Amino acid sequence: MAVQVAADAPPRSLPLGTLASVEIENMLLPMAHGGAPAPGGGRAWYIVTPRPAGPPIGMIGEEVFAPWSERELLECLLRPAAIALDHLAGTGVTHRAIRPNNVFRAKTGEKVTLGCAWAGPPAILQPCRFEPPYVAMCHPAGRGDGSIADDIYALGVLMLMLATGRMPMEGLDDQEVIRTKLERGSFVALVGDARLSPTISDLARGMLAEDPIHRPTPVLLADPFAARSRRIVSRPTRRAQRPLEIDGVEAWDARTLAYGLARAPEQAMRLLCNMVIESWLRRSLGDPAIASRLEDVLRTNTAETERDAGKAAAALMMRVVAVLDPLAPLCWQGLAFFPDGIAPLVAHVGDDVIGRALAEKLEVILMGEMCAVWGEAHPDSPDTPAVLRLDARQHRLVLRISGWAGGFPRLRYTANPLLSCRSLILRGECVVRLPDLLPALERCGAARLDFVIDHEIAAFIAARFNGRMDSDFIVLAQDEDPDIDPPGHRGVAQLRVLGRISEMDPSASWPALAACALRSARLALKTWRGQSVRAMRETALQEAAAQGRLSAMLVVVGDDAAHLEDTRAALNAHAEITAIEATLVRLEGRKDWRAAQARNAGYEIAAAIGVMVLAVAAVSTALP
């Protein structure tokens, strides 16, 4: 079975690599992944898994199901799923996709098989009722890998659904589901007025515990009767004498209040500044410990406001939510996510209104290293503050890179190694790995274009190439100015990028790309001064383009040493011409002086000859 990957939902690279050589019974593990033709045209990325033995046990949207017997629930659902999750936990990977339409079985009485969970971000398709409240409130792409305890929770909801024959909390929207779970507790909210057997009730109560550390482990669930006997008595939630209403949510406890504050940060800020929240915590809820921690947060925020007032309010609300509900995700101006879900979130940044709004929030979060600040308030989270700090600094460094080699596009491909390039030039091609870029551009009719590298392709190359091309991307990002820039300098920069990528497959030929690069590369030859050298190189350039050899074309126009020698020879020739012209000018300036000298010399010679003639005549007369 091949599961297609959505363009804006990158697959999970860690499980695809970790589970490649693992065998786990009753789970569809990834066998391979790669690009292939898509049914509607173009190409797409696919995750290949074994084909399930039967249909899914239910579909999302259905409200009524055939109830299972207690034996089926224990022997066909709970035990095989728990054993599979235990093996999965041993690899350090979570499933995060346990829901009716992703659990299969061949026929009644057979064991179930957990479906594919690797073709998209963890829990991105999970209905809110199958997730704990602190996960359900997150952006679907930012729920993070979570823990096996979250898989146990989803399995518990599925068990309730099959035990009652109905979808839990039917008729409620997502916000009502989350609010009801917070107010009444997950078990009470999900069970409602349904009647359960004592065994299923005890198991479900433990699996749906609010705190993940109170849920049974997969090893314990593999023996349902042992899991039933394990009961952890948790302290009941402190309930206020009167509720505090915020954004239509009546908060009777601290966790519900945290949810309301996260949903309506502006109203929450007014309540906080007016000391309403602190007063409610002390007088109505009767929890001075939380109120004291809140005072500490307010003092810290006062110091930060003096340095950066712009993000102080959002940072304050993030800390307040963390104080009120330690299980809550990072909440920033209405956006909720876990730090390990930042990579899929960045993949959702687009050019539409929603994408730009998301980008604005993420930019402040990443540049301010807010994930690390959140981690300092959650030292027991799976990602330690030190790890979060390191990741935050790496993200900030990438965002600070200007031009086509940095920013959100670069971060998007750096953080998601299996995300396909989004360039419109590729027109439906699926390019995930750098060696696939040139073949895709060749198929897209590159010969008709002047340039085949845009912002997205440049960011994709910068993230995937094992080397630096920042200087070339800076040239490509600028408009060509004929008064300043040498002819064809952007074309040479593009050819340099394409030529270096083509070296990954030296035997391949790229005639369409070569035809595209030939036009601008030919302009670059105008900078060669020697006519014979230029003619020779133009012939070599056309021959290399006819063969589709990008690297050979780059050697012709990008030979800096030969170009320098050509420039030096031209300068020497120019100097020699200048010297000759100066000599001619100097000789031309002394023409009159030479004529006068010649006349004077002629006069002197004539006088001398005359004297000699007279002397000869005198001598001849004197002789007898």
Side-chain angles (χ1 to χ4, degrees), residues 459-483:
F460 177 82
I461 295 173
R464 300 284 193 268
F465 186 73
N466 188 20
R468 297 182 63 86
M469 299 185 186
D470 293 0
S471 59
D472 295 318
F473 294 142
I474 291 174
V475 173
L476 287 170
Q478 299 173 347
D479 295 330
E480 196 159 0
D481 189 345
D483 297 331

Side-chain angles (χ1 to χ4, degrees), residues 240-242 277-288 291:
Q241 298 176 358
R242 58 180 177 82
I277 295 177
E278 183 180 356
S279 176
W280 181 83
L281 290 173
R282 291 186 182 277
R283 298 179 182 179
S284 183
L285 187 62
D287 196 333

Side-chain angles (χ1 to χ4, degrees), residues 72 94 129 210 245 290 486 513:
E72 281 186 296
T94 56
R129 63 195 68 190
E210 303 303 322
E245 183 174 347
I290 294 183
L513 288 171

